[in-house]
PDB file of all heavy atoms in Angstrom:
ATOM      1  N   PHE A   1      -0.742  -3.896 215.597  1.00 90.00           N
ATOM      2  CA  PHE A   1      -2.190  -4.049 215.573  1.00 90.00           C
ATOM      3  C   PHE A   1      -2.629  -5.201 216.467  1.00 90.00           C
ATOM      4  O   PHE A   1      -3.583  -5.070 217.237  1.00 90.00           O
ATOM      5  CB  PHE A   1      -2.690  -4.267 214.144  1.00 90.00           C
ATOM      6  CG  PHE A   1      -2.401  -3.134 213.203  1.00 90.00           C
ATOM      7  CD1 PHE A   1      -2.221  -3.371 211.847  1.00 90.00           C
ATOM      8  CD2 PHE A   1      -2.321  -1.830 213.658  1.00 90.00           C
ATOM      9  CE1 PHE A   1      -1.959  -2.338 210.968  1.00 90.00           C
ATOM     10  CE2 PHE A   1      -2.059  -0.779 212.792  1.00 90.00           C
ATOM     11  CZ  PHE A   1      -1.881  -1.036 211.438  1.00 90.00           C
ATOM     12  N   SER A   2      -1.946  -6.323 216.338  1.00 91.00           N
ATOM     13  CA  SER A   2      -2.255  -7.485 217.147  1.00 91.00           C
ATOM     14  C   SER A   2      -1.102  -8.471 217.066  1.00 91.00           C
ATOM     15  O   SER A   2      -0.263  -8.388 216.179  1.00 91.00           O
ATOM     16  CB  SER A   2      -3.562  -8.151 216.708  1.00 91.00           C
ATOM     17  OG  SER A   2      -3.451  -8.658 215.391  1.00 91.00           O
ATOM     18  N   ILE A   3      -1.085  -9.417 218.003  1.00 93.00           N
ATOM     19  CA  ILE A   3      -0.054 -10.434 218.046  1.00 93.00           C
ATOM     20  C   ILE A   3      -0.709 -11.795 218.236  1.00 93.00           C
ATOM     21  O   ILE A   3      -1.578 -11.952 219.090  1.00 93.00           O
ATOM     22  CB  ILE A   3       0.951 -10.183 219.180  1.00 93.00           C
ATOM     23  CG1 ILE A   3       1.642  -8.831 218.982  1.00 93.00           C
ATOM     24  CG2 ILE A   3       1.993 -11.304 219.248  1.00 93.00           C
ATOM     25  CD1 ILE A   3       2.588  -8.464 220.094  1.00 93.00           C
ATOM     26  N   GLY A   4      -0.278 -12.737 217.435  1.00 94.00           N
ATOM     27  CA  GLY A   4      -0.789 -14.083 217.562  1.00 94.00           C
ATOM     28  C   GLY A   4       0.055 -14.902 218.515  1.00 94.00           C
ATOM     29  O   GLY A   4       0.271 -14.528 219.670  1.00 94.00           O
ATOM     30  N   VAL A   5       0.557 -16.021 218.030  1.00 96.00           N
ATOM     31  CA  VAL A   5       1.353 -16.894 218.879  1.00 96.00           C
ATOM     32  C   VAL A   5       2.676 -16.222 219.242  1.00 96.00           C
ATOM     33  O   VAL A   5       3.280 -15.523 218.424  1.00 96.00           O
ATOM     34  CB  VAL A   5       1.593 -18.261 218.212  1.00 96.00           C
ATOM     35  CG1 VAL A   5       2.443 -18.113 216.949  1.00 96.00           C
ATOM     36  CG2 VAL A   5       2.240 -19.240 219.176  1.00 96.00           C
ATOM     37  N   MET A   6       3.121 -16.429 220.473  1.00 96.00           N
ATOM     38  CA  MET A   6       4.415 -15.972 220.958  1.00 96.00           C
ATOM     39  C   MET A   6       5.179 -17.185 221.456  1.00 96.00           C
ATOM     40  O   MET A   6       4.586 -18.114 221.994  1.00 96.00           O
ATOM     41  CB  MET A   6       4.274 -14.980 222.101  1.00 96.00           C
ATOM     42  CG  MET A   6       3.618 -13.663 221.742  1.00 96.00           C
ATOM     43  SD  MET A   6       3.289 -12.687 223.241  1.00 96.00           S
ATOM     44  CE  MET A   6       3.354 -11.014 222.596  1.00 96.00           C
ATOM     45  N   GLY A   7       6.491 -17.153 221.295  1.00 97.00           N
ATOM     46  CA  GLY A   7       7.261 -18.292 221.741  1.00 97.00           C
ATOM     47  C   GLY A   7       8.690 -17.954 222.075  1.00 97.00           C
ATOM     48  O   GLY A   7       9.200 -16.884 221.741  1.00 97.00           O
ATOM     49  N   TRP A   8       9.321 -18.899 222.763  1.00 98.00           N
ATOM     50  CA  TRP A   8      10.735 -18.820 223.081  1.00 98.00           C
ATOM     51  C   TRP A   8      11.440 -20.054 222.534  1.00 98.00           C
ATOM     52  O   TRP A   8      10.962 -21.182 222.722  1.00 98.00           O
ATOM     53  CB  TRP A   8      10.978 -18.734 224.588  1.00 98.00           C
ATOM     54  CG  TRP A   8      10.564 -17.437 225.197  1.00 98.00           C
ATOM     55  CD1 TRP A   8       9.383 -17.141 225.803  1.00 98.00           C
ATOM     56  CD2 TRP A   8      11.353 -16.241 225.253  1.00 98.00           C
ATOM     57  NE1 TRP A   8       9.377 -15.837 226.237  1.00 98.00           N
ATOM     58  CE2 TRP A   8      10.579 -15.264 225.906  1.00 98.00           C
ATOM     59  CE3 TRP A   8      12.631 -15.903 224.815  1.00 98.00           C
ATOM     60  CZ2 TRP A   8      11.043 -13.967 226.137  1.00 98.00           C
ATOM     61  CZ3 TRP A   8      13.091 -14.619 225.040  1.00 98.00           C
ATOM     62  CH2 TRP A   8      12.297 -13.669 225.695  1.00 98.00           C
ATOM     63  N   TYR A   9      12.543 -19.819 221.870  1.00 98.00           N
ATOM     64  CA  TYR A   9      13.398 -20.864 221.354  1.00 98.00           C
ATOM     65  C   TYR A   9      14.785 -20.690 221.957  1.00 98.00           C
ATOM     66  O   TYR A   9      15.126 -19.618 222.454  1.00 98.00           O
ATOM     67  CB  TYR A   9      13.491 -20.800 219.827  1.00 98.00           C
ATOM     68  CG  TYR A   9      12.195 -21.099 219.108  1.00 98.00           C
ATOM     69  CD1 TYR A   9      11.145 -20.194 219.113  1.00 98.00           C
ATOM     70  CD2 TYR A   9      12.043 -22.297 218.408  1.00 98.00           C
ATOM     71  CE1 TYR A   9       9.958 -20.471 218.448  1.00 98.00           C
ATOM     72  CE2 TYR A   9      10.863 -22.577 217.735  1.00 98.00           C
ATOM     73  CZ  TYR A   9       9.832 -21.657 217.762  1.00 98.00           C
ATOM     74  OH  TYR A   9       8.663 -21.937 217.091  1.00 98.00           O
ATOM     75  N   ARG A  10      15.585 -21.737 221.903  1.00 98.00           N
ATOM     76  CA  ARG A  10      16.950 -21.612 222.377  1.00 98.00           C
ATOM     77  C   ARG A  10      17.889 -22.411 221.493  1.00 98.00           C
ATOM     78  O   ARG A  10      17.494 -23.379 220.854  1.00 98.00           O
ATOM     79  CB  ARG A  10      17.084 -22.067 223.835  1.00 98.00           C
ATOM     80  CG  ARG A  10      16.855 -23.550 224.073  1.00 98.00           C
ATOM     81  CD  ARG A  10      16.874 -23.849 225.563  1.00 98.00           C
ATOM     82  NE  ARG A  10      16.686 -25.267 225.841  1.00 98.00           N
ATOM     83  CZ  ARG A  10      16.538 -25.777 227.052  1.00 98.00           C
ATOM     84  NH1 ARG A  10      16.554 -24.980 228.119  1.00 98.00           N
ATOM     85  NH2 ARG A  10      16.377 -27.089 227.212  1.00 98.00           N
ATOM     86  N   GLN A  11      19.130 -21.978 221.480  1.00 98.00           N
ATOM     87  CA  GLN A  11      20.147 -22.638 220.688  1.00 98.00           C
ATOM     88  C   GLN A  11      21.455 -22.640 221.459  1.00 98.00           C
ATOM     89  O   GLN A  11      21.998 -21.585 221.780  1.00 98.00           O
ATOM     90  CB  GLN A  11      20.327 -21.942 219.340  1.00 98.00           C
ATOM     91  CG  GLN A  11      21.258 -22.670 218.396  1.00 98.00           C
ATOM     92  CD  GLN A  11      21.187 -22.127 216.979  1.00 98.00           C
ATOM     93  OE1 GLN A  11      20.755 -20.995 216.761  1.00 98.00           O
ATOM     94  NE2 GLN A  11      21.596 -22.928 216.020  1.00 98.00           N
ATOM     95  N   ALA A  12      21.932 -23.824 221.759  1.00 97.00           N
ATOM     96  CA  ALA A  12      23.211 -23.997 222.424  1.00 97.00           C
ATOM     97  C   ALA A  12      24.305 -24.170 221.377  1.00 97.00           C
ATOM     98  O   ALA A  12      24.027 -24.562 220.239  1.00 97.00           O
ATOM     99  CB  ALA A  12      23.171 -25.204 223.354  1.00 97.00           C
ATOM    100  N   PRO A  13      25.555 -23.894 221.737  1.00 92.00           N
ATOM    101  CA  PRO A  13      26.649 -24.056 220.777  1.00 92.00           C
ATOM    102  C   PRO A  13      26.672 -25.457 220.181  1.00 92.00           C
ATOM    103  O   PRO A  13      26.606 -26.451 220.903  1.00 92.00           O
ATOM    104  CB  PRO A  13      27.892 -23.788 221.616  1.00 92.00           C
ATOM    105  CG  PRO A  13      27.420 -22.889 222.706  1.00 92.00           C
ATOM    106  CD  PRO A  13      26.030 -23.369 223.029  1.00 92.00           C
ATOM    107  N   GLY A  14      26.752 -25.522 218.867  1.00 94.00           N
ATOM    108  CA  GLY A  14      26.794 -26.795 218.184  1.00 94.00           C
ATOM    109  C   GLY A  14      25.476 -27.533 218.125  1.00 94.00           C
ATOM    110  O   GLY A  14      25.433 -28.676 217.649  1.00 94.00           O
ATOM    111  N   GLN A  15      24.413 -26.907 218.597  1.00 96.00           N
ATOM    112  CA  GLN A  15      23.103 -27.541 218.634  1.00 96.00           C
ATOM    113  C   GLN A  15      22.126 -26.838 217.706  1.00 96.00           C
ATOM    114  O   GLN A  15      22.330 -25.694 217.306  1.00 96.00           O
ATOM    115  CB  GLN A  15      22.546 -27.537 220.056  1.00 96.00           C
ATOM    116  CG  GLN A  15      23.429 -28.211 221.088  1.00 96.00           C
ATOM    117  CD  GLN A  15      23.515 -29.701 220.878  1.00 96.00           C
ATOM    118  OE1 GLN A  15      22.525 -30.357 220.571  1.00 96.00           O
ATOM    119  NE2 GLN A  15      24.714 -30.250 221.054  1.00 96.00           N
ATOM    120  N   GLN A  16      21.069 -27.538 217.365  1.00 97.00           N
ATOM    121  CA  GLN A  16      20.005 -26.941 216.575  1.00 97.00           C
ATOM    122  C   GLN A  16      19.101 -26.103 217.472  1.00 97.00           C
ATOM    123  O   GLN A  16      18.966 -26.366 218.665  1.00 97.00           O
ATOM    124  CB  GLN A  16      19.185 -28.025 215.874  1.00 97.00           C
ATOM    125  CG  GLN A  16      19.959 -28.835 214.849  1.00 97.00           C
ATOM    126  CD  GLN A  16      19.081 -29.851 214.140  1.00 97.00           C
ATOM    127  OE1 GLN A  16      17.886 -29.962 214.406  1.00 97.00           O
ATOM    128  NE2 GLN A  16      19.677 -30.599 213.236  1.00 97.00           N
ATOM    129  N   ARG A  17      18.498 -25.105 216.879  1.00 97.00           N
ATOM    130  CA  ARG A  17      17.543 -24.306 217.625  1.00 97.00           C
ATOM    131  C   ARG A  17      16.310 -25.150 217.942  1.00 97.00           C
ATOM    132  O   ARG A  17      15.815 -25.890 217.091  1.00 97.00           O
ATOM    133  CB  ARG A  17      17.151 -23.070 216.826  1.00 97.00           C
ATOM    134  CG  ARG A  17      16.301 -22.079 217.597  1.00 97.00           C
ATOM    135  CD  ARG A  17      16.102 -20.780 216.821  1.00 97.00           C
ATOM    136  NE  ARG A  17      17.372 -20.124 216.546  1.00 97.00           N
ATOM    137  CZ  ARG A  17      17.484 -18.924 215.990  1.00 97.00           C
ATOM    138  NH1 ARG A  17      16.385 -18.243 215.667  1.00 97.00           N
ATOM    139  NH2 ARG A  17      18.675 -18.412 215.762  1.00 97.00           N
ATOM    140  N   GLU A  18      15.822 -25.039 219.163  1.00 97.00           N
ATOM    141  CA  GLU A  18      14.681 -25.831 219.584  1.00 97.00           C
ATOM    142  C   GLU A  18      13.642 -24.962 220.276  1.00 97.00           C
ATOM    143  O   GLU A  18      13.959 -23.953 220.900  1.00 97.00           O
ATOM    144  CB  GLU A  18      15.115 -26.963 220.527  1.00 97.00           C
ATOM    145  CG  GLU A  18      15.690 -26.483 221.852  1.00 97.00           C
ATOM    146  CD  GLU A  18      16.118 -27.626 222.751  1.00 97.00           C
ATOM    147  OE1 GLU A  18      16.152 -28.783 222.285  1.00 97.00           O
ATOM    148  OE2 GLU A  18      16.433 -27.370 223.931  1.00 97.00           O
ATOM    149  N   LEU A  19      12.407 -25.389 220.167  1.00 98.00           N
ATOM    150  CA  LEU A  19      11.321 -24.705 220.845  1.00 98.00           C
ATOM    151  C   LEU A  19      11.395 -24.977 222.335  1.00 98.00           C
ATOM    152  O   LEU A  19      11.490 -26.125 222.760  1.00 98.00           O
ATOM    153  CB  LEU A  19       9.971 -25.176 220.300  1.00 98.00           C
ATOM    154  CG  LEU A  19       8.730 -24.642 221.023  1.00 98.00           C
ATOM    155  CD1 LEU A  19       8.564 -23.147 220.780  1.00 98.00           C
ATOM    156  CD2 LEU A  19       7.481 -25.396 220.586  1.00 98.00           C
ATOM    157  N   VAL A  20      11.326 -23.918 223.118  1.00 98.00           N
ATOM    158  CA  VAL A  20      11.268 -24.031 224.568  1.00 98.00           C
ATOM    159  C   VAL A  20       9.813 -24.008 225.029  1.00 98.00           C
ATOM    160  O   VAL A  20       9.375 -24.872 225.796  1.00 98.00           O
ATOM    161  CB  VAL A  20      12.055 -22.909 225.253  1.00 98.00           C
ATOM    162  CG1 VAL A  20      11.927 -23.002 226.772  1.00 98.00           C
ATOM    163  CG2 VAL A  20      13.521 -22.964 224.835  1.00 98.00           C
ATOM    164  N   ALA A  21       9.080 -23.014 224.578  1.00 98.00           N
ATOM    165  CA  ALA A  21       7.682 -22.866 224.959  1.00 98.00           C
ATOM    166  C   ALA A  21       7.004 -21.894 224.016  1.00 98.00           C
ATOM    167  O   ALA A  21       7.654 -21.025 223.433  1.00 98.00           O
ATOM    168  CB  ALA A  21       7.560 -22.359 226.398  1.00 98.00           C
ATOM    169  N   ASN A  22       5.709 -22.043 223.863  1.00 98.00           N
ATOM    170  CA  ASN A  22       4.949 -21.035 223.159  1.00 98.00           C
ATOM    171  C   ASN A  22       3.602 -20.838 223.833  1.00 98.00           C
ATOM    172  O   ASN A  22       3.153 -21.671 224.627  1.00 98.00           O
ATOM    173  CB  ASN A  22       4.813 -21.320 221.654  1.00 98.00           C
ATOM    174  CG  ASN A  22       4.064 -22.594 221.326  1.00 98.00           C
ATOM    175  OD1 ASN A  22       3.133 -22.994 222.035  1.00 98.00           O
ATOM    176  ND2 ASN A  22       4.456 -23.236 220.225  1.00 98.00           N
ATOM    177  N   ILE A  23       2.990 -19.719 223.495  1.00 97.00           N
ATOM    178  CA  ILE A  23       1.711 -19.357 224.093  1.00 97.00           C
ATOM    179  C   ILE A  23       0.871 -18.644 223.050  1.00 97.00           C
ATOM    180  O   ILE A  23       1.350 -17.760 222.341  1.00 97.00           O
ATOM    181  CB  ILE A  23       1.920 -18.482 225.346  1.00 97.00           C
ATOM    182  CG1 ILE A  23       0.581 -18.139 225.997  1.00 97.00           C
ATOM    183  CG2 ILE A  23       2.713 -17.216 225.018  1.00 97.00           C
ATOM    184  CD1 ILE A  23       0.731 -17.541 227.388  1.00 97.00           C
ATOM    185  N   ARG A  24      -0.386 -19.035 222.950  1.00 94.00           N
ATOM    186  CA  ARG A  24      -1.282 -18.415 222.002  1.00 94.00           C
ATOM    187  C   ARG A  24      -2.038 -17.266 222.646  1.00 94.00           C
ATOM    188  O   ARG A  24      -1.961 -17.052 223.861  1.00 94.00           O
ATOM    189  CB  ARG A  24      -2.230 -19.462 221.410  1.00 94.00           C
ATOM    190  CG  ARG A  24      -1.481 -20.629 220.752  1.00 94.00           C
ATOM    191  CD  ARG A  24      -2.370 -21.450 219.850  1.00 94.00           C
ATOM    192  NE  ARG A  24      -2.738 -20.725 218.632  1.00 94.00           N
ATOM    193  CZ  ARG A  24      -1.990 -20.660 217.536  1.00 94.00           C
ATOM    194  NH1 ARG A  24      -0.827 -21.279 217.483  1.00 94.00           N
ATOM    195  NH2 ARG A  24      -2.416 -19.972 216.490  1.00 94.00           N
ATOM    196  N   PHE A  25      -2.767 -16.530 221.833  1.00 87.00           N
ATOM    197  CA  PHE A  25      -3.425 -15.323 222.306  1.00 87.00           C
ATOM    198  C   PHE A  25      -4.323 -15.596 223.512  1.00 87.00           C
ATOM    199  O   PHE A  25      -4.351 -14.817 224.466  1.00 87.00           O
ATOM    200  CB  PHE A  25      -4.248 -14.688 221.181  1.00 87.00           C
ATOM    201  CG  PHE A  25      -4.894 -13.384 221.571  1.00 87.00           C
ATOM    202  CD1 PHE A  25      -4.196 -12.196 221.467  1.00 87.00           C
ATOM    203  CD2 PHE A  25      -6.202 -13.353 222.034  1.00 87.00           C
ATOM    204  CE1 PHE A  25      -4.785 -10.992 221.818  1.00 87.00           C
ATOM    205  CE2 PHE A  25      -6.799 -12.155 222.390  1.00 87.00           C
ATOM    206  CZ  PHE A  25      -6.087 -10.967 222.280  1.00 87.00           C
ATOM    207  N   GLY A  26      -5.040 -16.701 223.468  1.00 88.00           N
ATOM    208  CA  GLY A  26      -5.959 -17.032 224.541  1.00 88.00           C
ATOM    209  C   GLY A  26      -5.306 -17.610 225.777  1.00 88.00           C
ATOM    210  O   GLY A  26      -5.986 -17.821 226.785  1.00 88.00           O
ATOM    211  N   GLY A  27      -3.997 -17.885 225.707  1.00 91.00           N
ATOM    212  CA  GLY A  27      -3.277 -18.349 226.870  1.00 91.00           C
ATOM    213  C   GLY A  27      -2.877 -19.810 226.884  1.00 91.00           C
ATOM    214  O   GLY A  27      -2.210 -20.248 227.825  1.00 91.00           O
ATOM    215  N   SER A  28      -3.272 -20.571 225.887  1.00 96.00           N
ATOM    216  CA  SER A  28      -2.859 -21.965 225.849  1.00 96.00           C
ATOM    217  C   SER A  28      -1.360 -22.052 225.605  1.00 96.00           C
ATOM    218  O   SER A  28      -0.790 -21.247 224.867  1.00 96.00           O
ATOM    219  CB  SER A  28      -3.627 -22.734 224.780  1.00 96.00           C
ATOM    220  OG  SER A  28      -3.373 -22.201 223.494  1.00 96.00           O
ATOM    221  N   THR A  29      -0.716 -23.024 226.224  1.00 98.00           N
ATOM    222  CA  THR A  29       0.740 -23.119 226.190  1.00 98.00           C
ATOM    223  C   THR A  29       1.201 -24.519 225.838  1.00 98.00           C
ATOM    224  O   THR A  29       0.459 -25.496 225.962  1.00 98.00           O
ATOM    225  CB  THR A  29       1.351 -22.746 227.550  1.00 98.00           C
ATOM    226  OG1 THR A  29       0.851 -23.640 228.553  1.00 98.00           O
ATOM    227  CG2 THR A  29       0.991 -21.319 227.933  1.00 98.00           C
ATOM    228  N   GLU A  30       2.447 -24.603 225.418  1.00 98.00           N
ATOM    229  CA  GLU A  30       3.118 -25.876 225.260  1.00 98.00           C
ATOM    230  C   GLU A  30       4.583 -25.693 225.616  1.00 98.00           C
ATOM    231  O   GLU A  30       5.144 -24.615 225.434  1.00 98.00           O
ATOM    232  CB  GLU A  30       2.952 -26.446 223.851  1.00 98.00           C
ATOM    233  CG  GLU A  30       3.546 -25.615 222.741  1.00 98.00           C
ATOM    234  CD  GLU A  30       3.396 -26.291 221.386  1.00 98.00           C
ATOM    235  OE1 GLU A  30       3.695 -27.501 221.285  1.00 98.00           O
ATOM    236  OE2 GLU A  30       2.976 -25.614 220.429  1.00 98.00           O
ATOM    237  N   TYR A  31       5.200 -26.763 226.122  1.00 98.00           N
ATOM    238  CA  TYR A  31       6.562 -26.710 226.603  1.00 98.00           C
ATOM    239  C   TYR A  31       7.359 -27.902 226.109  1.00 98.00           C
ATOM    240  O   TYR A  31       6.827 -29.005 225.929  1.00 98.00           O
ATOM    241  CB  TYR A  31       6.608 -26.730 228.135  1.00 98.00           C
ATOM    242  CG  TYR A  31       5.984 -25.542 228.803  1.00 98.00           C
ATOM    243  CD1 TYR A  31       4.637 -25.542 229.149  1.00 98.00           C
ATOM    244  CD2 TYR A  31       6.748 -24.420 229.104  1.00 98.00           C
ATOM    245  CE1 TYR A  31       4.065 -24.454 229.774  1.00 98.00           C
ATOM    246  CE2 TYR A  31       6.182 -23.324 229.730  1.00 98.00           C
ATOM    247  CZ  TYR A  31       4.841 -23.348 230.064  1.00 98.00           C
ATOM    248  OH  TYR A  31       4.273 -22.258 230.693  1.00 98.00           O
ATOM    249  N   HIS A  32       8.638 -27.682 225.926  1.00 98.00           N
ATOM    250  CA  HIS A  32       9.544 -28.784 225.699  1.00 98.00           C
ATOM    251  C   HIS A  32       9.603 -29.623 226.970  1.00 98.00           C
ATOM    252  O   HIS A  32       9.562 -29.084 228.082  1.00 98.00           O
ATOM    253  CB  HIS A  32      10.936 -28.247 225.354  1.00 98.00           C
ATOM    254  CG  HIS A  32      11.877 -29.279 224.830  1.00 98.00           C
ATOM    255  ND1 HIS A  32      12.563 -30.146 225.668  1.00 98.00           N
ATOM    256  CD2 HIS A  32      12.245 -29.584 223.568  1.00 98.00           C
ATOM    257  CE1 HIS A  32      13.319 -30.935 224.934  1.00 98.00           C
ATOM    258  NE2 HIS A  32      13.144 -30.622 223.662  1.00 98.00           N
ATOM    259  N   ASP A  33       9.682 -30.920 226.813  1.00 98.00           N
ATOM    260  CA  ASP A  33       9.670 -31.807 227.966  1.00 98.00           C
ATOM    261  C   ASP A  33      10.761 -31.474 228.982  1.00 98.00           C
ATOM    262  O   ASP A  33      10.560 -31.636 230.187  1.00 98.00           O
ATOM    263  CB  ASP A  33       9.820 -33.264 227.526  1.00 98.00           C
ATOM    264  CG  ASP A  33       8.561 -33.828 226.920  1.00 98.00           C
ATOM    265  OD1 ASP A  33       7.480 -33.229 227.112  1.00 98.00           O
ATOM    266  OD2 ASP A  33       8.649 -34.878 226.264  1.00 98.00           O
ATOM    267  N   SER A  34      11.890 -31.006 228.515  1.00 97.00           N
ATOM    268  CA  SER A  34      13.017 -30.761 229.394  1.00 97.00           C
ATOM    269  C   SER A  34      12.804 -29.586 230.342  1.00 97.00           C
ATOM    270  O   SER A  34      13.533 -29.454 231.329  1.00 97.00           O
ATOM    271  CB  SER A  34      14.292 -30.528 228.582  1.00 97.00           C
ATOM    272  OG  SER A  34      14.214 -29.334 227.827  1.00 97.00           O
ATOM    273  N   VAL A  35      11.826 -28.740 230.063  1.00 98.00           N
ATOM    274  CA  VAL A  35      11.606 -27.556 230.897  1.00 98.00           C
ATOM    275  C   VAL A  35      10.279 -27.582 231.630  1.00 98.00           C
ATOM    276  O   VAL A  35      10.002 -26.674 232.426  1.00 98.00           O
ATOM    277  CB  VAL A  35      11.716 -26.254 230.079  1.00 98.00           C
ATOM    278  CG1 VAL A  35      13.030 -26.211 229.316  1.00 98.00           C
ATOM    279  CG2 VAL A  35      10.530 -26.100 229.132  1.00 98.00           C
ATOM    280  N   LYS A  36       9.475 -28.592 231.404  1.00 97.00           N
ATOM    281  CA  LYS A  36       8.183 -28.672 232.074  1.00 97.00           C
ATOM    282  C   LYS A  36       8.368 -28.706 233.590  1.00 97.00           C
ATOM    283  O   LYS A  36       9.203 -29.435 234.111  1.00 97.00           O
ATOM    284  CB  LYS A  36       7.419 -29.915 231.617  1.00 97.00           C
ATOM    285  CG  LYS A  36       6.882 -29.816 230.206  1.00 97.00           C
ATOM    286  CD  LYS A  36       6.108 -31.075 229.820  1.00 97.00           C
ATOM    287  CE  LYS A  36       5.536 -30.959 228.422  1.00 97.00           C
ATOM    288  NZ  LYS A  36       4.836 -32.201 228.007  1.00 97.00           N
TER     289      LYS A  36
END
């Protein structure tokens, strides 16, 4: 029907899962500092 926020996370071996980036319906985004 519809989709709200979308995002990408990543997890390296032995590491915790972390947010890479997300984007809201209207297009606003946020990024992890390491990938900006």
